[in-house]
Amino acid sequence: MANSQGKRRRIVADIVRHARPQTSPLQRGRTRLAALLAASALMLAAPGAASASTPAQSGSTKASSAKPKGSGAGRTAAHGAGRAAKANTRNASAATTRPAAAKPAPRKAAASSSAAIQEATGAEARLIAVYELFGRGKTRPALAKARDLVRDYPNFQLAQLVYADLLATQVPPAHAFSDSGIARLRSDPAMADLREESRRRLQALRERPAAGTVPSQFLALSTRSRYAIAVDASRSRLYLLENSDKGLQLVADYYVSVGKSGIDKAAEGDARTPLGVYYITSSLDPKSLRDFYGAGALPINYPNPYDVRRGKTGGGIWLHGTPSQQFARAPQASDGCVVMANPDLKQLLRKVQIGATPVITARSLQWISPPQAEKEAQAFTSTIAAWKEARASGNEAQLKKFYLPDFQRSNNKKSTEGFAVLRDEVEYARGKRVQFKDVSYLHWRDGDDTMVATFGEVFEGEKSGRTRRQYWLRHGSEWKLFYEEVPG
Amino acid sequence: MPKSPLPRARFSLTPAVRALLLASACGMALPALAAAEHDEVDRLMQAGKLDEAMGRADAFLKDKPKDPQMRFLKGVIQLDTGKRAEAIAAFTQLTQDAPELPEPYNNLAVIYASQNQFDKARSALESAIRTNPSYATAQENLGDVYARLASQAYSKALQLDQNNTAVQPKLAVIRTLFTPAPAGGKPAATVAAAAPMAKAPVAAAPAPAPAPVAKAAPPAPAPAVVAKAPEASAPSASTSTAASAAAPAPAPAAASPAATAEVESAVRGWASAWAGQDMDRYLAAYGPDFNPGGGQSRKSWEEERRARIVGKSSISVNIENLVINVNGQAATAKFRQIYRADNLNISSRKTLELQRSGNQWQIRKESVGG
């Protein structure tokens, strides 16, 4: 973990830097001091740094001796996180100055700092404000704000930890931290979870997706889906995007927990969160749920046909809330569900549409520009168009090329296997003009390249049509259908 | 780095200035007279005669209901007799009437802390320090309260049962409004002398008979054996030995003088080990059945003591007005403990309960006040 400290320090230093865009030399000096202070506070929060040294000592010695090395921590290092982090930071600053630009230049530190964490929700925003104040050396106001925060959210464990760290800075050094068992509490193994939660919240708030970008899975989204959800497990973050005529736009994001054994669920009981493209299938009344699930639950359709095809098992994967005695849970704490703080979940519950809101759960989201998404969508559109043409031509052999031999279709619980479907298709569609509408393409790539295409088809002369959801798998340069759902 | 958020200025009102402030606060014409009565009440308190002290305080306050010093002493008596609510009311009223005094805030904080209301304790101590930034007792107490609050918050962060980790901080009560100035000051010995002197003018007015003076004498004798420090070898013990020496001859005690001397030597050994930061000897002064109280384990108590004692640049622990009671294999030692460390200077009353084991007296219980 040692090499993550540099990064952590940089994160806070960034907050600090953003907080004071224009400062006098004196203030800059204080800001630098503040950054050191903040680093020490977060080092308090670093696993393994719990040993007896006071914040004063760790702050001054570490900060003066060590220049943080650019190497990022473990997993993200694979993506060149050292440089990426910096780049993201710049992106983030660009992104965050845009809203501010509409107003006169942000003089006040408070204004610009709140811009830097604009997307944070209530309790988290207040927590970050505490970090930010402390980062600027304003320990007393930070302490006061932390006190208010734990008063309002006594079950917010991370807020309690930050409050505790701030209180500990007020204990005179001569007092020694062995007093009142502080040292013992600090070295409790369970602290590691909270520190990791802290790290991830900060990271997610620092490394914002570039303005206007969308998760790479959302190639096209029908406006019938008014919202879309994307979970980035590496950041412990759920992003809520609003879908309108103007396209997808990020409107909020929330801290989430995933499975205690991590992600990439494969089998029932493995305590992992599945990775893939899903839809919300229902919304469970919190009154019917145990307190453990908090404000409600939104089941998703794991295992989806692609998961089934690959032999994945298990089920009952929900987005749900937290038990009343816990505001948030550790980054990896569930049996495979995605868990959010109740106030956050309540916001989500007001927005989701059963059957229509897609949920992407990814190891790490890639954000792409809308034109790029459009370009990729068009490439796939040509496949769908060819399929449609083959069907309309009535040439069964031609149509067959679009299907894998083990193709399945489910139609209202009735399942049909193999090419028997094709005859029906051909008979049904032959010679009719058909219009596709409300098209969504969700692209999922792991070992394989898959596409979940949803659209309505209305045949000429008919008022309403039916909705199809097709699962495509890329074989070489060609897309093949392996599953289709036609509800109704 | 965060030594302390507050300036560590050595600023402090001199006792004289504060006396003037107090005098003007209560519009007293004769501060000296009142001071004598304050000292008398203080002496009674130290002697454990709380009812009597209370009686005198009440009588005094009938005439001078606004006198802050006496109201403060009364508050301390209420605290000592377990009347927390009354003590809170007394100290709270004092913070309103004499907001420049840090002591009432400090004592309010001590009570709040004992009720686990650490946030209230914190804000009271911060008020105390605002009124006088160099008030060492309040500073030390505030450190304790912050440590306690921090440990509470850490426990909540870990969702631990608070009761498992509860360690009562031992905050120091301030017992009089003036921290006595030890250098050249008038130690306790003068209290006994001052009482009759103060009485004299009052008594002299109606009838200059010798009777009142004679009457005033009886309160002076100490209740039990006053152990004399035989040699003035104790560090800076000049004032304490003077105090003991000035006290009237010890009343015949039930216990043997030899046992009393043994206990005294144990107590002084304990104090000198503490002052010498000799942890082995210090901890050995406590018997195996010593209970630190507050549910704290012996081990964590030892760690806490070690952390508090070792590393201070200097510690001095002086013992004044030592009163020893021996009862077979058990003994109590009550005294005023003048503790100085770095820039702290805390005077408090202390009671040690000791137990003889073999030819050694060891501490079984230690309490502040009482």
Side-chain angles (χ1 to χ4, degrees):
Chain A
M1 272 335 261
N3 58 354
S4 68
Q5 287 179 359
K7 187 164 182 185
R8 189 171 303 112
R9 187 179 300 122
R10 201 163 52 237
I11 288 165
V12 174
D14 285 343
I15 288 180
V16 171
R17 224 172 290 131
H18 286 288
R20 287 184 173 269
Q22 313 117 328
T23 45
S24 70
L26 173 71
Q27 281 170 318
R28 237 177 290 132
R30 284 179 52 206
T31 305
R32 199 169 304 125
L33 173 70
L36 300 182
L37 284 170
S40 86
L42 287 181
M43 273 193 284
L44 291 182
S51 52
S53 70
T54 66
Q57 286 157 348
S58 58
S60 53
T61 56
K62 297 251 173 67
S64 58
S65 66
K67 246 207 165 158
K69 273 176 84 185
S71 62
R75 190 179 306 151
T76 44
H79 303 277
R83 258 163 292 120
K86 268 187 192 149
N88 279 342
T89 299
R90 237 174 282 126
N91 287 345
S93 80
T96 52
T97 47
R98 181 173 307 171
K103 298 178 215 154
R107 267 279 160 68
K108 280 186 151 182
S112 75
S113 77
S114 67
I117 48 144
Q118 218 175 19
E119 316 297 347
T121 57
E124 182 180 68
R126 290 172 63 181
L127 177 70
I128 301 306
V130 171
Y131 278 117
E132 194 268 331
L133 277 170
F134 183 70
R136 287 191 288 127
K138 306 208 163 188
T139 307
R140 305 289 294 186
L143 192 49
K145 286 232 184 293
R147 188 180 302 124
D148 291 347
L149 179 57
V150 299
R151 181 200 57 212
D152 295 346
Y153 297 92
N155 57 355
F156 192 174
Q157 293 167 266
L158 178 56
Q160 291 282 4
L161 173 59
V162 169
Y163 179 48
D165 277 347
L166 285 167
L167 285 165
T169 66
Q170 299 299 300
V171 181
H175 208 277
F177 283 125
S178 64
D179 274 29
S180 314
I182 287 177
R184 183 170 46 78
L185 288 165
R186 270 211 189 136
S187 56
D188 191 298
M191 280 300 178
D193 284 342
L194 293 173
R195 291 174 181 130
E196 184 60 16
E197 177 185 336
S198 175
R199 191 184 73 76
R200 293 199 181 197
R201 283 182 189 266
L202 275 172
Q203 179 198 19
L205 292 170
R206 289 305 319 144
E207 300 170 8
R208 308 293 302 158
T213 57
V214 299
S216 60
Q217 290 81 5
F218 297 124
L219 294 192
L221 196 60
S222 155
T223 49
R224 290 215 159 184
S225 293
R226 294 191 44 222
Y227 290 91
I229 289 168
V231 174
D232 186 326
S234 73
R235 290 182 167 77
S236 298
R237 208 82 188 158
L238 181 150
Y239 298 88
L240 177 67
L241 297 106
E242 187 173 6
N243 190 31
S244 68
D245 301 342
K246 290 176 282 177
L248 271 178
Q249 272 165 336
L250 181 62
V251 288
D253 56 293
Y254 310 97
Y255 169 81
V256 293
S257 312
V258 297
K260 56 172 92 83
S261 300
I263 46 176
D264 206 2
K265 184 175 193 64
E268 182 167 3
D270 65 4
R272 291 172 181 273
T273 299
L275 297 179
V277 172
Y278 303 99
Y279 279 88
I280 286 175
T281 57
S282 60
S283 178
L284 305 181
D285 183 350
K287 285 190 217 104
S288 71
L289 298 170
R290 283 194 291 132
D291 174 65
F292 180 79
Y293 298 103
L298 298 167
I300 60 173
N301 64 324
Y302 173 87
N304 67 18
Y306 179 47
D307 297 323
V308 171
R309 181 184 176 79
R310 290 186 298 175
K312 300 205 172 190
T313 57
I317 303 299
W318 303 352
L319 313 187
H320 66 77
T322 53
S324 47
Q325 80 276 9
Q326 239 180 337
F327 179 79
R329 294 175 66 188
Q332 297 192 354
S334 74
D335 281 329
C337 292
V338 174
V339 183
M340 324 172 57
N342 290 326
D344 297 347
L345 181 70
K346 281 181 186 161
Q347 291 189 24
L348 206 61
L349 288 172
R350 287 200 292 268
K351 315 242 154 142
V352 297
Q353 301 158 280
I354 292 156
T357 303
V359 178
I360 304 289
T361 54
R363 188 184 300 279
S364 174
L365 290 170
Q366 306 299 313
W367 295 74
I368 59 175
S369 69
Q372 193 186 337
E374 215 166 297
K375 206 173 112 203
E376 290 188 33
Q378 273 165 11
F380 185 73
T381 301
S382 60
T383 297
I384 293 276
W387 168 79
K388 188 168 81 169
E389 206 173 296
R391 188 179 63 165
S393 75
N395 184 338
E396 208 177 308
Q398 187 66 24
L399 188 59
K400 200 173 164 185
K401 288 182 186 166
F402 288 91
Y403 293 81
L404 288 176
D406 55 353
F407 172 80
Q408 288 184 40
R409 168 198 270 179
S410 81
N411 185 352
N412 258 357
K413 288 177 188 158
K414 204 176 75 201
S415 173
T416 322
E417 300 212 2
F419 296 130
V421 171
L422 300 191
R423 186 154 303 129
D424 300 347
E425 284 281 11
V426 166
E427 276 174 19
Y428 184 71
R430 190 197 310 260
K432 290 186 204 157
R433 285 178 56 149
V434 64
Q435 197 191 353
F436 284 6
K437 48 191 275 189
D438 300 326
V439 178
S440 294
Y441 298 148
L442 304 180
H443 191 191
W444 183 258
R445 233 184 260 191
D446 41 33
D448 293 323
D449 198 355
T450 58
M451 192 75 77
V452 181
T454 308
F455 54 88
E457 58 179 4
V458 183
F459 285 92
E460 195 177 27
E462 290 175 17
K463 275 208 174 111
S464 62
R466 53 184 183 176
T467 299
R468 289 173 185 263
R469 179 161 297 156
Q470 300 182 328
Y471 288 81
W472 296 77
L473 181 66
R474 201 212 288 266
H475 262 217
S477 61
E478 293 184 334
W479 288 97
K480 305 273 187 188
L481 262 168
F482 66 88
Y483 200 90
E484 185 177 56
E485 289 166 347
V486 188
Chain B
M1 242 308 305
K3 250 192 222 149
S4 149
L6 296 155
R8 282 273 183 162
R10 292 286 171 135
F11 164 80
S12 148
L13 295 177
T14 66
V17 171
R18 297 202 48 208
L20 280 174
L21 276 173
L22 282 175
S24 63
C26 54
M28 263 191 337
L30 288 170
L33 179 70
E37 195 61 14
H38 299 150
D39 288 347
E40 176 60 10
V41 171
D42 186 33
R43 194 191 61 76
L44 287 168
M45 285 162 63
Q46 282 181 53
K49 299 185 174 175
L50 296 175
D51 289 348
E52 206 177 317
M54 182 63 106
R56 285 192 89 120
D58 279 337
F60 182 91
L61 287 170
K62 226 171 231 162
D63 280 350
K64 298 188 175 61
K66 292 202 161 139
D67 181 73
Q69 173 73 279
M70 193 58 87
R71 283 163 65 195
F72 183 83
L73 290 173
K74 186 175 169 182
V76 176
I77 298 169
Q78 286 164 333
L79 185 53
D80 284 349
T81 49
K83 294 178 178 155
R84 278 182 183 173
E86 280 101 321
I88 288 178
F91 292 131
T92 304
Q93 194 58 48
L94 266 175
T95 61
Q96 285 158 15
D97 298 346
E100 74 284 1
L101 300 178
E103 294 93 340
Y105 287 113
N106 180 80
N107 287 4
L108 272 178
V110 175
I111 303 174
Y112 290 145
S114 75
Q115 298 174 330
N116 282 321
Q117 302 191 67
F118 294 104
D119 247 324
K120 282 173 98 170
R122 173 193 56 77
S123 88
L125 287 168
E126 282 171 350
S127 298
I129 289 163
R130 257 199 300 281
T131 68
N132 184 350
S134 67
Y135 213 101
T137 305
Q139 292 275 14
E140 172 117 326
N141 284 345
L142 185 58
D144 282 355
V145 166
Y146 271 122
R148 185 69 187 102
L149 278 167
S151 109
Q152 259 187 356
Y154 282 122
S155 299
K156 283 182 189 162
L158 292 166
Q159 296 193 312
L160 297 176
D161 183 357
Q162 294 289 298
N163 297 328
N164 288 343
T165 57
V167 176
Q168 282 292 343
K170 294 177 187 65
L171 302 192
V173 176
I174 297 174
R175 311 200 70 84
T176 63
L177 282 186
F178 300 121
T179 311
K186 295 163 286 177
T190 57
V191 174
M197 266 165 53
K199 277 262 155 33
V202 182
V213 179
K215 246 191 181 168
V225 176
V226 173
K228 286 208 277 182
E231 69 284 293
S233 66
S236 92
S238 55
T239 55
S240 65
T241 43
S244 311
S256 74
T260 305
E262 280 171 23
V263 172
E264 180 180 354
S265 130
V267 171
R268 294 203 182 275
W270 162 83
S272 90
W274 184 359
Q277 303 181 23
D278 180 344
M279 287 312 291
D280 290 343
R281 210 152 60 85
Y282 174 80
L283 294 175
Y286 293 85
D289 55 348
F290 169 70
N291 176 5
Q296 195 179 17
S297 76
R298 172 70 178 245
K299 190 162 169 289
S300 85
W301 171 82
E302 285 190 5
E303 279 168 13
E304 184 185 302
R305 294 308 296 159
R306 201 177 292 278
R308 287 233 177 163
I309 293 171
V310 177
K312 292 248 174 22
S313 62
S314 75
I315 294 178
S316 85
V317 182
N318 288 328
I319 289 171
E320 292 181 2
N321 299 2
L322 176 61
V323 177
I324 291 170
N325 250 314
V326 181
N327 189 356
Q329 301 298 298
T332 58
K334 297 190 178 205
F335 49 91
R336 176 164 286 258
Q337 169 185 299
I338 318 277
Y339 168 85
R340 290 190 201 96
D342 300 340
N343 58 349
L344 302 183
N345 182 356
I346 301 168
S347 162
S348 56
R349 279 192 320 141
K350 175 81 51 100
T351 302
L352 296 179
E353 286 176 26
L354 300 101
Q355 180 81 37
R356 194 210 292 269
S357 110
N359 57 357
Q360 265 204 315
W361 287 91
Q362 286 183 312
I363 300 165
R364 212 183 56 194
K365 192 167 171 232
E366 177 174 2
S367 50
V368 178

